[in-house]
Amino acid sequence: MTVSGMRVTIRVLWGEMSGLIARIACSGVLILMGMAVALSGCGVSGAPEPPSLTVAAAASLYSAFTEIGREFQEETGIAVTIAFGAIGQLTQQIENGAPFDVFASANE
């Protein structure tokens, strides 16, 4: 996401967090990113685009992120699109300009 001309990338590191703590941390990241998406349209003329959030996440996060993304979308009305895959491939896509708002990596 670009906010005031600056590209924002957030990396969620899971390490030894328990499932519940990891879910809470992820929810916090998505809420903050949702706020950033909402605020990024401030001061822009013309018809605003509906807010959306695009997430790149490790395949191992599929269950947690699918549930969190669905709940986030229901609570905020912000559309969430999640691309799951190998971190190496997602990293290459980001380095080549893929328009992800959130990047979530995981260690098992």
Side-chain angles (χ1 to χ4, degrees):
M1 169 183 20
T2 303
V3 178
S4 300
M6 179 176 71
R7 181 136 180 104
V8 178
T9 303
I10 293 181
R11 182 177 224 182
V12 180
L13 302 175
W14 295 88
E16 299 179 18
M17 284 192 232
S18 71
L20 177 60
I21 293 172
R23 284 180 49 126
I24 291 169
C26 180
S27 295
V29 167
L30 289 177
I31 289 168
L32 289 173
M33 290 308 298
M35 290 175 15
V37 168
L39 293 174
S40 67
C42 294
V44 177
S45 62
E49 291 184 25
S52 65
L53 187 63
T54 306
V55 180
S60 62
L61 300 174
Y62 181 83
S63 295
F65 270 57
T66 299
E67 183 177 341
I68 291 168
R70 179 184 48 77
E71 291 175 11
F72 179 81
Q73 187 166 337
E74 287 174 2
E75 290 183 25
T76 65
I78 297 172
V80 178
T81 303
I82 306 172
F84 295 99
I87 291 304
Q89 291 174 336
L90 293 172
T91 301
Q92 284 181 336
Q93 291 176 15
I94 292 167
E95 289 172 348
N96 290 317
F100 294 115
D101 298 311
V102 178
F103 176 60
S105 178
N107 290 331
E108 293 192 38

